Amino acid sequence: MHIIETEFPDFGLTPEQRREAVLGHYYEIPGMDGARGEIWCYTDAYAYPPGATVNLHVSATASRYRLEIVRDGATETPVLSQDGLAAAWQDTPDQCSVIGCGWSVSHAFRISEDWPSGAYRITLTAEGRDGNPVTCHHVFIVRPLAGRKPGRVLQVAATGTWTAYNTWGGSNHYQGITGPGRNQYAPMVSTERPFCRGFAVLPENAPRVPLEIYTPPAAPPRYPHMEWAYANGYSKKYASAGWASYDSHFFRWAERAGYAVDLASQHELHFTPEILDGYDCVVFVGHDEYWTWEMRDAVDAYVENGGRAARFAGNFMWQTRLEDDGKKQVCYKYRARAEDPVYQSEDKRRTSGCWEAEETGRPAARTFGLNALRGLYVGWGGCAPRGVRGFPVYRPEHWAFAGTGIYYGDLLGADGHAFGYEVDGLDYVIRGGLPEPTEDSGAPEGLEILALGMSSLKEESADIPADDQFLSDADAKFVAETLVGNQSDEAVNRIKRGSGMIVNFPRGRGEVFHAGSCEWVAALKRGDAMVERVTSNVLDRYLSR
């Protein structure tokens, strides 16, 4: 049984530093390490086919560095090491987060034809100005070649969300140094920059977003993941996105469990959707928040034509657009109606706001059965901080729960904390002790709600001073505006209660299973036997094993 701690670690921070860790804007920029020296890198794409050449862009205070690459699967497999590579310091534009770093290619290497599909972690090591080593990490994907892949799973990495949360250079889709006051989030962000620290690799003990520490009632919220990040020089968004916090845990678990898994990026869904056609089962995991219209087209067509999609992920919320051959991602988000030029055009459907917006006309549930606006926050801040850590089960007889020994009313995944951070749900009613989607929920025909937990769209501020609120009520007001048409107190009260669900439904000749929580992968990481069994049941059914 997982033990919940009652004492918050302080990570050596003062109260002022803890506050800066949560509410401040800190990020990695060239020159930040000063006299110590530094090295940074990025690749010219997120994913490559076997045999492709990877162009590596490096900026360093040292003149030479060592390159090491490992495949980051069930076991770490070294595939390439090179010493004495030439480096130089490269100037970086102030708005590199938006327009890209523009560094020249420092080194190129070829992906061998025998490198299996998967994630490959780059480590660069150089000598710092003080004689001690300086390092940086990056990750790229070797995607599979087209063709039939019987018995194999295709996992699609949430690279749209990686791009949205990457803080390197100062701006992402959340905070930034753009706008007249240099204090706005960026509606356009570039892939041509390093990943912020924590996206490619993390120590085992790095805290996750949902609290593992019991917060006494009426106590001010604490955010251990951001406090740890501030104390240890990591991005405050390391726990919100990236290979290390999310996608890697499913990939490693699946390989350890004996599944043959290939990996692709969301950019393949957008530009080469036929990559899905070779697979009986396609999987999406973790924090999977940002999608283009074309990515959804790819999944919808795949399922309609007989594919099986399994989504062990949460927060299906924002429509993005890709520009410059996918090197720039556009999402105006909360400012879409005011600033996105597409909203002013004749065809507003591609406005880069949330999927539930009236102008988009494409509710999220049409693809994965659930949506973010009826879900959102669990287990942190003032949003269900002491709520259940697993999914309360309503339909234990469903095939997904075979062999788990689970009963009606039991919690699925509580030991591994599978239910948390951000979740997806639907509006629902309870009849005869069982949840059903409401008629106006947008649920696809035949959808069954298998499990259901409570979430919140706002921090209930009666017990939490405004100065201590990180989540506050901004999202609740946005959701009220989107779903009700205004931000009045009455509208906010109508939508402020959400849910996270596990659902299953047929579509065309295919089928979708959706466990709507970012933290499902955390339960796999922690070895939660019930969650492992349900995951295997889904994969085995969809692979016809």
Side-chain angles (χ1 to χ4, degrees):
M1 183 65 67
H2 193 78
I3 303 299
I4 301 178
E5 301 291 336
T6 57
E7 293 292 327
F8 278 93
D10 63 15
F11 305 115
L13 300 181
T14 66
E16 293 75 18
Q17 288 172 324
R18 289 202 303 266
R19 186 171 185 78
E20 175 65 16
V22 176
L23 301 177
H25 183 38
Y26 47 99
Y27 46 88
E28 290 139 308
I29 53 172
M32 63 181 289
D33 289 335
R36 182 170 176 265
E38 57 203 60
I39 185 168
W40 308 103
C41 76
Y42 62 91
T43 53
D44 62 335
Y46 279 153
Y48 305 85
T53 296
V54 177
N55 289 315
L56 188 63
H57 304 256
V58 180
S59 180
T61 52
S63 60
R64 298 284 168 183
Y65 67 94
R66 175 177 174 81
L67 165 70
E68 296 174 283
I69 303 177
V70 298
R71 182 181 183 274
D72 192 2
T75 58
E76 290 191 359
T77 307
V79 297
L80 182 66
S81 63
Q82 296 176 324
D83 256 324
L85 299 176
W89 188 256
Q90 303 206 47
D91 291 335
T92 306
D94 173 67
Q95 294 295 324
C96 62
S97 306
V98 178
I99 64 174
C101 287
W103 299 344
S104 61
V105 176
S106 306
H107 181 61
F109 60 88
R110 183 178 177 274
I111 296 171
S112 175
E113 303 282 355
D114 61 1
W115 289 12
S117 178
Y120 287 76
R121 189 172 72 240
I122 293 172
T123 301
L124 304 188
T125 306
E127 184 177 297
R129 291 175 173 140
D130 59 3
N132 293 313
V134 291
T135 62
C136 71
H137 302 284
H138 198 69
V139 66
F140 66 92
I141 292 166
V142 175
R143 62 175 173 81
L145 295 172
R148 185 81 182 114
K149 305 289 193 310
R152 299 188 71 84
V153 174
L154 179 65
Q155 178 180 337
V156 179
T159 47
T161 303
W162 299 5
T163 307
Y165 279 87
N166 185 12
T167 54
W168 202 95
S171 296
N172 60 11
H173 286 334
Y174 292 84
Q175 289 178 287
I177 56 172
T178 67
R182 292 179 61 84
N183 60 357
Q184 293 182 352
Y185 68 80
M188 177 183 286
V189 290
S190 175
T191 66
E192 295 182 296
R193 54 176 170 153
F195 284 133
C196 57
R197 195 170 178 215
F199 270 30
V201 64
L202 279 170
E204 183 69 22
N205 65 348
R208 301 189 68 79
V209 176
L211 293 174
E212 297 300 318
I213 296 140
Y214 179 80
T215 306
R222 290 281 295 274
Y223 302 89
H225 69 286
M226 288 190 274
E227 295 178 20
W228 179 89
Y230 187 85
N232 290 278
Y234 282 79
S235 167
K236 69 189 296 182
K237 296 301 187 185
Y238 84 85
S240 296
W243 170 254
S245 276
Y246 291 99
D247 312 74
S248 65
H249 298 312
F250 182 89
F251 193 83
R252 293 175 192 144
W253 173 85
E255 288 200 334
R256 287 196 303 269
Y259 294 96
V261 195
D262 293 330
L263 189 67
S265 78
Q266 279 182 302
H267 283 59
E268 275 73 69
L269 299 188
H270 185 99
F271 292 108
T272 54
E274 61 273 12
I275 195 170
L276 301 180
D277 296 341
Y279 295 88
D280 295 319
C281 177
V282 176
V283 171
F284 308 87
V285 306
H287 194 186
D288 188 22
E289 185 175 0
Y290 292 81
W291 284 62
T292 67
W293 188 282
E294 290 81 1
M295 294 170 188
R296 284 189 67 179
D297 281 349
V299 174
D300 290 349
Y302 167 77
V303 174
E304 287 281 354
N305 290 326
R308 285 80 169 254
R311 187 171 191 262
F312 305 102
N315 203 208
F316 189 51
M317 187 162 183
W318 300 108
Q319 175 173 206
T320 63
R321 300 192 300 271
L322 295 181
E323 298 181 359
D324 192 16
D325 295 324
K327 296 187 185 303
K328 291 184 174 64
Q329 177 171 290
V330 177
C331 195
Y332 281 84
K333 297 180 66 172
Y334 307 103
R335 295 165 15 210
R337 288 175 174 172
E339 298 181 23
D340 190 344
V342 171
Y343 184 70
Q344 306 302 327
S345 68
E346 188 172 325
D347 184 358
K348 296 177 168 57
R349 291 177 301 166
R350 303 299 182 95
T351 301
S352 59
C354 73
W355 289 113
E356 310 314 305
E358 183 180 15
E359 60 269 16
T360 304
R362 194 175 188 180
R366 292 184 186 173
T367 295
F368 287 122
L370 303 173
N371 71 71
L373 299 199
R374 290 296 186 181
L376 280 183
Y377 305 119
V378 179
W380 65 305
C383 296
R386 291 169 293 278
V388 296
R389 298 154 55 87
F391 284 94
V393 172
Y394 282 86
R395 288 182 166 87
E397 69 281 358
H398 190 270
W399 58 260
F401 302 135
T404 62
I406 206 163
Y407 291 82
Y408 176 87
D410 282 354
L411 292 180
L412 169 65
D415 286 352
H417 207 158
F419 186 72
Y421 184 21
E422 293 177 338
V423 298
D424 289 344
L426 289 171
D427 200 15
Y428 66 95
V429 294
I430 300 286
R431 292 193 178 95
L434 295 174
E436 300 174 2
T438 60
E439 291 183 0
D440 61 353
S441 68
E445 186 176 351
L447 179 140
E448 277 193 302
I449 300 172
L450 313 181
L452 162 67
M454 297 159 65
S455 65
S456 178
L457 279 74
K458 63 172 288 190
E459 293 190 288
E460 300 292 357
S461 58
D463 291 330
I464 305 172
D467 286 349
D468 288 325
Q469 293 182 34
F470 175 72
L471 298 170
S472 187
D473 62 354
D475 278 314
K477 288 180 176 177
F478 173 75
V479 173
E481 180 72 41
T482 303
L483 298 182
V484 182
N486 65 78
Q487 298 185 9
S488 66
D489 290 346
E490 179 187 3
V492 168
N493 284 332
R494 282 175 58 184
I495 59 81
K496 70 180 183 180
R497 301 170 189 89
S499 65
M501 296 178 172
I502 300 177
V503 299
N504 176 226
F505 62 95
R507 179 172 183 182
R509 302 202 313 272
E511 187 175 347
V512 174
F513 180 92
H514 186 179
S517 168
C518 293
E519 291 298 287
W520 188 273
V521 294
L524 294 177
K525 174 181 183 286
R526 293 168 176 143
D528 187 307
M530 273 191 180
V531 171
E532 291 182 327
R533 181 58 189 262
V534 172
T535 309
S536 292
N537 286 346
V538 175
L539 297 183
D540 291 348
R541 175 184 173 92
Y542 285 2
L543 292 170
S544 301
R545 283 170 55 146

